[in-house]
Amino acid sequence: MAVVFAVNGERVELREGDVDAGATLLEFLRTRTRFTGPKLGCGEGTPPPPSPPPPSLLCGCGACVVLLSAYDAASGAVSHAAASSCLTLVHALHHRAVTTTEGLGAGRGRAGLHAVHQRIAGFHASQCGFCTPGVCMSLAAALAGAEAKAGRGPEPDPPEGFARLTAAEAERAVAGNLCRCTGYRPIADACKSFAADVDLEDLGLNSFWRKGDAHASKLPRYHQGSIGVFPEFLKAEIRASSGTQQLHTLLPASAGGASAWHRPRSVEEYYEMVGSELFGGGRTKVVVGNTASGVYREAEVYDRYIDLRCIPELNLVSKEAKGVEIGAAVSISQAIEILRGEGGCSDVVFCKIADHLEKVASPFVRNTASLGGNLVMAQRDQFASDISTVLLAAGSSICIQVSSKRSTVTLEEFLQMPPCDSKTLLLSIFIPRWTSVSVLSGDRNTGGTSVLFETYRAAPRPLGNAVAYLNSAFLAQVSSDETSGNVILRELCLAFGAYGTQHAIRVRNVEKLLVGTPITASVLLEACKLLKKTIVPKEGTRHAAYRSSLAVAFLFSFLYPVIKGTLKPVKAVHLNGCVTSGTNGNPNCGPDMHVDVSLKKIDNANSGSYSNDCILEYSNQIIEINKDYHPVGIPAKKVGAELQASGEAVFVDDIPSPKDCIYGAFIYSTKPLAHVKSIELDPSLKQLKTLGIVTVKDIPERGSNVGANTIFGPEPLFGDPVTQCAGEPLGVAIAETQRFANIAAKRAVIDYGTENLDAPILSIEEAVRRCSYFETPPFLLPQKIGDFSKGMAEADQKIYSEVKLNSQYYFYMETQTALAIPDEDNCMVVYSSSQCPETAQNVIAKCLGLPCHNVRVITRRVGGGFGGKAVRSLPVATACALAAFKLQRPVRMYLDRKTDMIVTGGRHPMKICYSVGFKSDGKITALHIDLFINAGMTKDVSLIIPHNFIEALKKYNWGAFSYEAKVCKTNISTKSAMRGPGEVQGSYVAEAIIEHVASALSTDANLVRHRNIHTVETLALFHSECTEDAMGYTLPSICDQVTASENYQRRLEIVQSFNKNNKWKKRGLSFVPIVHKVLSRPTPGKVSILNDGSIAVEVGGIELGQGLWTKVKQMAAFGIGQLWPDQSQELLERIRVIQADTLSNVQGGWTTGSTTSESSCEAVRLACNILVDRLKPIKEQFQEKQGNVSWDELITKVVSHFLNYYSVAIINIQATMVGVDLSAREYYIPGPSGSYLNYGAAASEVEIDLLTGASTILRSDLIYDCGQSLNPAVDLGQVEGAFVQGIGYFMSEEYVTNSDGLLITDGTWTYKIPTVDTIPKQFNVKLLNSGPHKKRVLSSKASGEPPLLLAASVHCATREAIRAARNEPRCSGFGSSPSHFDLEVPAIMPVVKELCGLDNVERYLESLMSSI
């Protein structure tokens, strides 16, 4: 039987053999329809697992989100849900309607845009645009869902133009969507613009109104009912088919080897199916939502799929007095609604379970993931399930069937059973209803008892979408002892999971200790010690001691009110109808956060506990608009933002595959140093339609094994005959689909050998020991300053210490991709997502042995780069071209996220040893740095990193300054330039030194900072090539604005007061200045005026999301507009910036270093000047004859070949006009002082939880000198985005490798970039206009990289909070200097907790006992 569904209102019918049963909806949309809006950002539904697969929570990136709608023929209701299309199998969509971002609007172009598209664009919430369609659909799904729910109750209609969402709900709609560009603030504002309870004046910079002039009428109108309209034809088919019996096998296996899809209609039919001979051989996969494939990334090809969703029994919900029974196929989102509906305002347990379930994965995963599937993974695959832990504590039971035998077992018994196989079917989950007189077991009389129930989880992200380090749930029956009045635990269930164990467990030994005994400090201390011995992660679990300490912290939080004598056994109540849930939602909740609000003693109202408050509490953007060069300087909307939102923007992988196109995937080494003896495809995967492997042997005779090239030399495309690192490409697997190519590559069989090879070098220390270095050319090294020995002799104190910094992955949303198409006469056209297409052209030509004019590289836009699409994009484009050249067929490669993370490398790890001398007043007299940089296996651009590091370090006056720098050659993946390469580390190390000095002097670090900030004179000494006058050197005034204000001093006092009055939370406030040098690069610009007066512009720079096209377009309008001094001609909409083409605009160079936008603008301005000089005399001649001349009139006359033979004068004029060249090209070359300095400062306030180590950024205030901004909206977006990316580096992005140097944090579920719930709750940015400067492009300054350095303020504020914690008496076990300590980068939760004391609970309880 066919599968029938709708895509954007269009009917789709799949019949036998049309599409493989294992194909995802995303794969189908992108290869079989014209709808390419949904993007493959993480690919966590398709790539295979490592071995063994790590248990974790499914996360994903949200780029592929679509809206799934279902129609209930019985009720006539339509339900909507966001879904991850990279996990949803296309054959599971029978009678569903799919809406992509293209389907939101009424067609292509601006007229067809939906309000969601327009507001996302208008709030400047799209930069590279790759994530934008997914953001739009997550928001659209929330809007549609709110409308559907509103139809069930008597809620009032929202004001016209608004939706039924609250501002908090609108923000949470995109909590699972990742964005690497924007910093999330504008996305949150765009979402909140739909909320009925929002104050529009609180929303940030947008293109609809100016501050103080907000009104709903200025927003693009939102019409309720405009999202997810269910097609009438599909409704009719559903009604016609309802009640009819359908065959369970929808798509039988075809002769071509396609998988079969089965849909049993009953439990009996399921067992008949799995017991039949048909299922005796081959591989079978049982699915409901298929979300498990995002957790255990599969390298398998299945012969058949069994879809359980049509078994009625698995979808039933039974509500009884004793509890609720939920079918195993019910989605997690549906289960949340059921529990909330049942909980109402009376059942705390149900409501708190629902609260906790909302922290499982992302909304678009919960909507399709089943409750039973989650429990089966926990039981069978040791999945780190939150759900199993919470339901275990609630006393849940499971109904299962094994073959013909059906039984009901407790969840604890189910988890302890042998792993489930296809013979075991989980039917339903029963959750008992707990009341004030309920008991855990029926053999004890505990009348008059009350129920306490709490759930906890500690995870990197407050709103979920992250694996927990540990989760727990506790249920207790409590009552008062009639004699003593003490609170007694009559029954107790303590459940723990996700800490590195097979499954969730009950700690019965601790329960036994606590039950029946009055809870005192000594009893609780004994319980904590016993618990820590019980909760022991299995060997190899990261942060094992931290996880054990979390168990103690959560138990302490649960029972702390008891020992304080504040717990009174009362009936459970709610707080404003909403139950707080331990650390559920935000791991910052301390022991005073208890379900019983009569016991609740919250130290601070803004403690960060989960509530309906908005994620982003407040933001402010201060910009200054300069109209001297109109339209340059106005905050114009980003070019193409609407196209990106509506899915019309074309990225490389959106280009339709040419006829006979095939696909490639890298086969990479898993060994750090080994001979590669052979590479073969797994013979068991014959059905994959693979076409072979392209290796070094396939390089043409005249070509060479080169995959990248820089000014420092080439690097190989493939490791041959020896692979130099784990992650080095060895070949390319070729197949008929990208999915099959990925599977074939991961299953490739590689024969290694290590004979006659030394041990690999995997660390800086080993490289130093073996003197393994790349030589750095002396001209790249900055000058040293003064006499270091003399400076040290002048010092009152000296410090010798070191700092270690790890790597960071780019995490651009669009992974590396290329499409290579063979052309006539031995030519090759390559579409590459690259920051340097010209270099790609050169490398491809050299690899293939062709002249460069035979290779054409085209780049339209790049879905995020951050340096990773520069050198590291070259091997992908080259390998793709090589495969196409060999096979003479189009070949495309789109790296899955894991492969991209492994082969691409990232930021440079470093080790920095420093010696610093200083006076007793904090004035530094001398500094010496020994800098060791881990470059990896090849040079790339690593030899410039010492220069960048030192230049950023010189933001302070160090007195005498000297250094030694070594670039280490090691057997790890090549590291390359990443946003602020070297500068981020150098600027941070400067702060680490300043804070160490302050600690040694027991003084405020800010005083030391101010004492060592440059004067104009010392700045000239340290940065002699970037001379500044007093007006240009804005850093001192910026620092004064940040720290000398009354507001800052008041905040500092509040922080000190908070720390004095809070036991388990501490705050820190810190400010960081930056001095960042940038260098302008030569760049071409070409401006062509077409016959109709429209203007085409070509530049060397690539649009990466940084707004380069937007600024260039504004500059072109200004440049040409100079023909009219009164600025009477509006030319902005007449201009189009076109894609980079290496055979059209040569010498394009690299789009790196933050200055390409301004260099491209200057090149365009110079080209416009040429055109103005050509057109101005002609315009003046026409004006003499006919008065004012418009742009259209001028161009019409210029291009006209009509000669008026009746007037000699006119003939002469027109003869002149016919000869005008309407195209001009200019190559901008910066002068000798092409470099300049950027200044900025940030103050950040951070709150830490001493029990969990969680950090919350309460506020960040940024001031950045942007010169006279070319576009304040674009520059503001760059500042915010860079700052949040820096937060990731300093606080959350843990880059972990195995013993062979192979990256193991290789996906969205193990590598945690910031999300909307981790940015500053108050986020304020001011762009400082520092006035005119002749040496810069229209007095502008760069904004792409320098602001990232300001994120160190968050790390420094965290250090201040930890310092406050370590000064507490219970944290006295840190030696003689509790104020000085090393805080790792990133400062993840385990790091913070360890510095606050893994045993701080035990110490606190001991102090209570000693005070009695």
PDB file of all heavy atoms in Angstrom, residues 463-483:
ATOM      1  N   LEU A 463      17.721  24.509  30.273  1.00  0.00           N
ATOM      2  CA  LEU A 463      16.443  24.063  29.710  1.00  0.00           C
ATOM      3  C   LEU A 463      16.551  22.733  28.980  1.00  0.00           C
ATOM      4  O   LEU A 463      15.769  22.438  28.082  1.00  0.00           O
ATOM      5  CB  LEU A 463      15.897  25.130  28.757  1.00  0.00           C
ATOM      6  CG  LEU A 463      15.463  26.432  29.413  1.00  0.00           C
ATOM      7  CD1 LEU A 463      14.836  27.367  28.386  1.00  0.00           C
ATOM      8  CD2 LEU A 463      14.494  26.184  30.553  1.00  0.00           C
ATOM      9  N   GLY A 464      17.498  21.941  29.341  1.00  0.00           N
ATOM     10  CA  GLY A 464      17.619  20.633  28.699  1.00  0.00           C
ATOM     11  C   GLY A 464      18.509  20.691  27.487  1.00  0.00           C
ATOM     12  O   GLY A 464      19.418  21.508  27.389  1.00  0.00           O
ATOM     13  N   ASN A 465      18.224  19.799  26.501  1.00  0.00           N
ATOM     14  CA  ASN A 465      19.049  19.731  25.306  1.00  0.00           C
ATOM     15  C   ASN A 465      20.503  19.470  25.662  1.00  0.00           C
ATOM     16  O   ASN A 465      21.413  19.955  24.986  1.00  0.00           O
ATOM     17  CB  ASN A 465      18.912  21.021  24.488  1.00  0.00           C
ATOM     18  CG  ASN A 465      19.330  20.823  23.048  1.00  0.00           C
ATOM     19  OD1 ASN A 465      19.234  19.724  22.517  1.00  0.00           O
ATOM     20  ND2 ASN A 465      19.804  21.875  22.422  1.00  0.00           N
ATOM     21  N   ALA A 466      20.716  18.735  26.746  1.00  0.00           N
ATOM     22  CA  ALA A 466      22.075  18.398  27.172  1.00  0.00           C
ATOM     23  C   ALA A 466      22.009  17.184  28.083  1.00  0.00           C
ATOM     24  O   ALA A 466      21.089  17.055  28.896  1.00  0.00           O
ATOM     25  CB  ALA A 466      22.721  19.563  27.906  1.00  0.00           C
ATOM     26  N   VAL A 467      23.001  16.325  27.945  1.00  0.00           N
ATOM     27  CA  VAL A 467      23.063  15.155  28.805  1.00  0.00           C
ATOM     28  C   VAL A 467      23.382  15.592  30.230  1.00  0.00           C
ATOM     29  O   VAL A 467      24.174  16.503  30.464  1.00  0.00           O
ATOM     30  CB  VAL A 467      24.130  14.162  28.300  1.00  0.00           C
ATOM     31  CG1 VAL A 467      25.497  14.793  28.251  1.00  0.00           C
ATOM     32  CG2 VAL A 467      24.162  12.915  29.151  1.00  0.00           C
ATOM     33  N   ALA A 468      22.734  14.960  31.193  1.00  0.00           N
ATOM     34  CA  ALA A 468      22.977  15.286  32.601  1.00  0.00           C
ATOM     35  C   ALA A 468      24.229  14.575  33.090  1.00  0.00           C
ATOM     36  O   ALA A 468      24.531  13.454  32.686  1.00  0.00           O
ATOM     37  CB  ALA A 468      21.775  14.869  33.447  1.00  0.00           C
ATOM     38  N   TYR A 469      24.963  15.253  33.945  1.00  0.00           N
ATOM     39  CA  TYR A 469      26.067  14.588  34.638  1.00  0.00           C
ATOM     40  C   TYR A 469      25.514  13.561  35.619  1.00  0.00           C
ATOM     41  O   TYR A 469      26.112  12.503  35.820  1.00  0.00           O
ATOM     42  CB  TYR A 469      26.915  15.602  35.397  1.00  0.00           C
ATOM     43  CG  TYR A 469      27.708  16.535  34.520  1.00  0.00           C
ATOM     44  CD1 TYR A 469      27.327  17.862  34.358  1.00  0.00           C
ATOM     45  CD2 TYR A 469      28.841  16.095  33.855  1.00  0.00           C
ATOM     46  CE1 TYR A 469      28.061  18.726  33.570  1.00  0.00           C
ATOM     47  CE2 TYR A 469      29.576  16.951  33.062  1.00  0.00           C
ATOM     48  CZ  TYR A 469      29.189  18.276  32.916  1.00  0.00           C
ATOM     49  OH  TYR A 469      29.924  19.130  32.131  1.00  0.00           O
ATOM     50  N   LEU A 470      24.381  13.912  36.206  1.00  0.00           N
ATOM     51  CA  LEU A 470      23.672  13.001  37.108  1.00  0.00           C
ATOM     52  C   LEU A 470      22.249  13.521  37.241  1.00  0.00           C
ATOM     53  O   LEU A 470      22.013  14.732  37.247  1.00  0.00           O
ATOM     54  CB  LEU A 470      24.352  12.942  38.485  1.00  0.00           C
ATOM     55  CG  LEU A 470      23.662  12.072  39.555  1.00  0.00           C
ATOM     56  CD1 LEU A 470      24.699  11.259  40.333  1.00  0.00           C
ATOM     57  CD2 LEU A 470      22.863  12.937  40.533  1.00  0.00           C
ATOM     58  N   ASN A 471      21.299  12.603  37.287  1.00  0.00           N
ATOM     59  CA  ASN A 471      19.925  12.986  37.588  1.00  0.00           C
ATOM     60  C   ASN A 471      19.431  12.177  38.776  1.00  0.00           C
ATOM     61  O   ASN A 471      19.973  11.109  39.088  1.00  0.00           O
ATOM     62  CB  ASN A 471      19.010  12.816  36.364  1.00  0.00           C
ATOM     63  CG  ASN A 471      19.036  11.406  35.799  1.00  0.00           C
ATOM     64  OD1 ASN A 471      18.959  10.434  36.549  1.00  0.00           O
ATOM     65  ND2 ASN A 471      19.129  11.289  34.483  1.00  0.00           N
ATOM     66  N   SER A 472      18.437  12.695  39.431  1.00  0.00           N
ATOM     67  CA  SER A 472      17.913  11.989  40.596  1.00  0.00           C
ATOM     68  C   SER A 472      16.480  12.424  40.844  1.00  0.00           C
ATOM     69  O   SER A 472      16.041  13.479  40.375  1.00  0.00           O
ATOM     70  CB  SER A 472      18.765  12.255  41.839  1.00  0.00           C
ATOM     71  OG  SER A 472      18.755  13.635  42.149  1.00  0.00           O
ATOM     72  N   ALA A 473      15.773  11.595  41.569  1.00  0.00           N
ATOM     73  CA  ALA A 473      14.412  11.913  41.986  1.00  0.00           C
ATOM     74  C   ALA A 473      14.163  11.234  43.321  1.00  0.00           C
ATOM     75  O   ALA A 473      14.556  10.077  43.526  1.00  0.00           O
ATOM     76  CB  ALA A 473      13.398  11.451  40.940  1.00  0.00           C
ATOM     77  N   PHE A 474      13.520  11.951  44.219  1.00  0.00           N
ATOM     78  CA  PHE A 474      13.295  11.458  45.567  1.00  0.00           C
ATOM     79  C   PHE A 474      11.825  11.585  45.927  1.00  0.00           C
ATOM     80  O   PHE A 474      11.214  12.638  45.704  1.00  0.00           O
ATOM     81  CB  PHE A 474      14.120  12.251  46.595  1.00  0.00           C
ATOM     82  CG  PHE A 474      15.576  12.393  46.245  1.00  0.00           C
ATOM     83  CD1 PHE A 474      16.250  13.584  46.483  1.00  0.00           C
ATOM     84  CD2 PHE A 474      16.281  11.343  45.668  1.00  0.00           C
ATOM     85  CE1 PHE A 474      17.581  13.725  46.176  1.00  0.00           C
ATOM     86  CE2 PHE A 474      17.626  11.476  45.351  1.00  0.00           C
ATOM     87  CZ  PHE A 474      18.283  12.672  45.604  1.00  0.00           C
ATOM     88  N   LEU A 475      11.284  10.518  46.511  1.00  0.00           N
ATOM     89  CA  LEU A 475       9.914  10.544  47.018  1.00  0.00           C
ATOM     90  C   LEU A 475       9.927  10.053  48.450  1.00  0.00           C
ATOM     91  O   LEU A 475      10.514   9.006  48.747  1.00  0.00           O
ATOM     92  CB  LEU A 475       8.993   9.686  46.159  1.00  0.00           C
ATOM     93  CG  LEU A 475       7.498   9.817  46.447  1.00  0.00           C
ATOM     94  CD1 LEU A 475       6.700   9.631  45.163  1.00  0.00           C
ATOM     95  CD2 LEU A 475       7.031   8.812  47.495  1.00  0.00           C
ATOM     96  N   ALA A 476       9.298  10.837  49.311  1.00  0.00           N
ATOM     97  CA  ALA A 476       9.301  10.483  50.735  1.00  0.00           C
ATOM     98  C   ALA A 476       7.910  10.631  51.324  1.00  0.00           C
ATOM     99  O   ALA A 476       7.156  11.535  50.961  1.00  0.00           O
ATOM    100  CB  ALA A 476      10.284  11.368  51.494  1.00  0.00           C
ATOM    101  N   GLN A 477       7.590   9.707  52.246  1.00  0.00           N
ATOM    102  CA  GLN A 477       6.407   9.814  53.100  1.00  0.00           C
ATOM    103  C   GLN A 477       6.903  10.298  54.451  1.00  0.00           C
ATOM    104  O   GLN A 477       7.730   9.652  55.086  1.00  0.00           O
ATOM    105  CB  GLN A 477       5.735   8.453  53.249  1.00  0.00           C
ATOM    106  CG  GLN A 477       5.209   7.864  51.956  1.00  0.00           C
ATOM    107  CD  GLN A 477       3.800   8.349  51.637  1.00  0.00           C
ATOM    108  OE1 GLN A 477       3.200   9.037  52.444  1.00  0.00           O
ATOM    109  NE2 GLN A 477       3.296   7.999  50.476  1.00  0.00           N
ATOM    110  N   VAL A 478       6.436  11.462  54.875  1.00  0.00           N
ATOM    111  CA  VAL A 478       6.941  12.031  56.119  1.00  0.00           C
ATOM    112  C   VAL A 478       5.793  12.277  57.083  1.00  0.00           C
ATOM    113  O   VAL A 478       4.646  12.481  56.686  1.00  0.00           O
ATOM    114  CB  VAL A 478       7.692  13.360  55.858  1.00  0.00           C
ATOM    115  CG1 VAL A 478       8.870  13.143  54.935  1.00  0.00           C
ATOM    116  CG2 VAL A 478       6.755  14.414  55.277  1.00  0.00           C
ATOM    117  N   SER A 479       6.134  12.248  58.368  1.00  0.00           N
ATOM    118  CA  SER A 479       5.164  12.576  59.411  1.00  0.00           C
ATOM    119  C   SER A 479       5.928  13.057  60.631  1.00  0.00           C
ATOM    120  O   SER A 479       7.151  12.955  60.694  1.00  0.00           O
ATOM    121  CB  SER A 479       4.311  11.354  59.765  1.00  0.00           C
ATOM    122  OG  SER A 479       5.119  10.342  60.327  1.00  0.00           O
ATOM    123  N   SER A 480       5.186  13.591  61.579  1.00  0.00           N
ATOM    124  CA  SER A 480       5.799  14.082  62.817  1.00  0.00           C
ATOM    125  C   SER A 480       5.779  12.998  63.880  1.00  0.00           C
ATOM    126  O   SER A 480       4.794  12.268  64.030  1.00  0.00           O
ATOM    127  CB  SER A 480       5.051  15.314  63.342  1.00  0.00           C
ATOM    128  OG  SER A 480       5.199  16.393  62.463  1.00  0.00           O
ATOM    129  N   ASP A 481       6.872  12.905  64.606  1.00  0.00           N
ATOM    130  CA  ASP A 481       6.915  12.011  65.755  1.00  0.00           C
ATOM    131  C   ASP A 481       6.114  12.653  66.883  1.00  0.00           C
ATOM    132  O   ASP A 481       6.356  13.799  67.269  1.00  0.00           O
ATOM    133  CB  ASP A 481       8.365  11.794  66.197  1.00  0.00           C
ATOM    134  CG  ASP A 481       8.452  10.815  67.344  1.00  0.00           C
ATOM    135  OD1 ASP A 481       8.441   9.604  67.081  1.00  0.00           O
ATOM    136  OD2 ASP A 481       8.533  11.286  68.493  1.00  0.00           O
ATOM    137  N   GLU A 482       5.124  11.926  67.388  1.00  0.00           N
ATOM    138  CA  GLU A 482       4.211  12.495  68.384  1.00  0.00           C
ATOM    139  C   GLU A 482       4.929  12.878  69.667  1.00  0.00           C
ATOM    140  O   GLU A 482       4.506  13.789  70.378  1.00  0.00           O
ATOM    141  CB  GLU A 482       3.092  11.503  68.683  1.00  0.00           C
ATOM    142  CG  GLU A 482       2.191  11.231  67.486  1.00  0.00           C
ATOM    143  CD  GLU A 482       1.084  10.248  67.823  1.00  0.00           C
ATOM    144  OE1 GLU A 482       1.084   9.769  68.981  1.00  0.00           O
ATOM    145  OE2 GLU A 482       0.240   9.973  66.950  1.00  0.00           O
ATOM    146  N   THR A 483       6.017  12.192  69.960  1.00  0.00           N
ATOM    147  CA  THR A 483       6.721  12.455  71.221  1.00  0.00           C
ATOM    148  C   THR A 483       7.673  13.631  71.105  1.00  0.00           C
ATOM    149  O   THR A 483       7.585  14.604  71.853  1.00  0.00           O
ATOM    150  CB  THR A 483       7.494  11.199  71.674  1.00  0.00           C
ATOM    151  OG1 THR A 483       6.587  10.099  71.770  1.00  0.00           O
ATOM    152  CG2 THR A 483       8.171  11.446  73.010  1.00  0.00           C
TER     153      THR A 483
END
